[in-house]
Amino acid sequence: LLISLANEVYYTATEAECQLLVAEGLEMARRLGDDALLMEMCSSAFLAVWHPWTAVQRLSLADEAVELAQRLGDARGEAMALAQRAAVHGELGHVEDLERDLGEAHGLAVALQLTYARWFLDCMRLPWLAMRGELEEARSTLDGLLTLVDTIAVPHKHDAVGGLMLVLAIWGGLDDREDGVLDELVAAARVPIHMAATGFLVRLGRTDAARELFETSRPTLDDESWIAPLIWGFGAEVGLALGERGLAAAAYERLAPLRGGVLSAGSTIAMGPVDAFLAAGDGDATLAARHADDAVRLMQTWQIPLAEQWFLRQRDLHGF
């Protein structure tokens, strides 16, 4: 009940309040000595404490849930724990670990016909397929998500699908389904979308439309939820593209602690290294160049050539 309450008040309570509820709930679960209960509580607590700076805490929770599920022989619990661990490995830039957990979790999800787990995993996989240039498989994955969307009860599911369509659009060009999806997202999104929407317009080369949306909506960086890194990263990119240096500098300050990781919105919409957006947000040419070098190195290590090609064009354009 304590951990369920932490999840229910995630958007309205302070992080300290949620952390206290989680700590009390986990302490109770450990005292009861029920491994199946503790496994479920680790997975539930993972969601309740999801903020950009809690990745190490969430990795520990996911590790414990995986270990408990394997000890119990609970394949369903293992699939979900592996999916959560894959998400945090992605945030931290542990891409080999991400791929391993994705593969194992997907095998279990398919074998057990776990619809939500398949949804969660495919949302995570699609941006990586797109950045690697595996666009046909990425579009096939999107088709699968569109088939599943009406079979799951996830509040942000349509936002996620719309965001993934835009991810495909920026790496592989627009198709008929993706044309107009940005306007629909802005109108109906249940998450703060205006900064990200402005960023997508910039990335799609629609600078005039980006400026108009930015000036009419005046989006801010004031978010600390699971979607915050995407807002901050696009804040840096929008600030650079539109000459809003104050915005870019403020985004840099928020992003700096995430250096070396992956810019993403929760488990979805991975956009490449945080370092690429630090380069955009840093007004010091020398430091920006260092961030840019780190970003290129990570893109090569992670084998995401389309992201690297985009970023090299940005380096040429902006001189970092």
Side-chain angles (χ1 to χ4, degrees), residues 45-59:
F46 182 102
L47 301 174
V49 299
W50 198 324
H51 297 278
W53 48 83
T54 61
V56 173
Q57 178 188 12
R58 287 181 282 114
L59 181 58

Side-chain angles (χ1 to χ4, degrees), residues 94-117:
H94 304 162
V95 176
E96 289 186 5
D97 294 326
L98 160 70
E99 295 293 346
R100 180 202 64 219
D101 285 350
L102 273 177
E104 292 179 11
H106 189 265
L108 289 170
V110 171
L112 298 171
Q113 300 182 29
L114 302 176
T115 303
Y116 173 69

Side-chain angles (χ1 to χ4, degrees), residues 10-297:
Y10 174 85
Y11 292 104
T12 56
T14 67
E15 184 196 359
E17 289 170 322
C18 289
Q19 288 280 9
L20 180 60
L21 289 167
V22 164
E24 291 180 352
L26 287 174
E27 191 279 330
M28 185 182 294
R30 297 187 199 286
R31 187 174 71 247
L32 291 169
D34 183 336
D35 282 350
L37 173 66
L38 180 57
M39 177 197 70
E40 294 286 354
M41 291 307 96
C42 286
S43 290
S44 186
F46 182 102
L47 301 174
V49 299
W50 198 324
H51 297 278
W53 48 83
T54 61
V56 173
Q57 178 188 12
R58 287 181 282 114
L59 181 58
S60 177
L61 288 166
D63 278 337
E64 186 172 6
V66 169
E67 193 244 340
L68 287 166
Q70 291 173 342
R71 187 194 311 164
L72 293 164
D74 185 338
R76 183 204 66 82
E78 184 180 359
M80 285 311 307
L82 284 168
Q84 289 183 331
R85 192 168 73 178
V88 74
H89 277 315
E91 290 175 69
L92 291 169
H94 304 162
V95 176
E96 289 186 5
D97 294 326
L98 160 70
E99 295 293 346
R100 180 202 64 219
D101 285 350
L102 273 177
E104 292 179 11
H106 189 265
L108 289 170
V110 171
L112 298 171
Q113 300 182 29
L114 302 176
T115 303
Y116 173 69
R118 286 173 53 205
W119 165 273
F120 188 94
L121 293 162
D122 282 349
C123 283
M124 209 184 311
R125 284 179 66 240
L126 191 152
W128 289 96
L129 292 170
M131 288 189 290
R132 288 181 178 139
E134 299 173 27
L135 298 174
E136 185 174 342
E137 187 173 353
R139 291 195 182 280
S140 175
T141 301
L142 177 62
D143 290 339
L145 289 169
L146 290 169
T147 300
L148 291 176
V149 71
D150 291 327
T151 68
I152 59 171
V154 178
H156 306 301
K157 61 185 181 180
H158 293 292
D159 297 339
V161 169
L164 290 170
M165 285 183 175
L166 292 172
V167 168
L168 269 176
I170 64 174
W171 301 122
L174 289 164
D175 70 11
D176 292 340
R177 288 179 307 189
E178 289 138 20
D179 190 23
V181 72
L182 189 58
D183 293 336
E184 294 173 14
L185 262 183
V186 169
R190 299 180 61 169
V191 295
I193 196 67
H194 286 91
M195 186 69 78
T198 307
F200 275 120
L201 286 169
V202 166
R203 192 69 70 91
L204 290 166
R206 296 170 58 187
T207 307
D208 290 342
R211 185 175 297 281
E212 181 180 357
L213 178 60
F214 181 80
E215 291 179 351
T216 55
S217 64
R218 303 308 300 180
T220 73
L221 303 174
D222 294 335
D223 196 287
E224 297 184 342
S225 70
W226 54 272
I227 199 175
L230 186 71
I231 293 172
W232 301 344
F234 272 137
E237 188 170 349
V238 167
L240 180 64
L242 302 186
E244 299 282 344
R245 294 307 307 174
L247 172 65
Y252 179 93
E253 292 300 319
R254 298 190 182 220
L255 286 170
L258 307 181
R259 180 179 179 180
V262 174
L263 193 90
S264 60
S267 60
T268 309
I269 316 187
M271 296 294 293
V274 169
D275 302 71
F277 299 86
L278 288 173
D282 197 328
D284 183 297
T286 301
L287 287 177
R290 290 178 188 170
H291 289 309
D293 289 341
D294 289 340
V296 171
R297 174 181 53 79

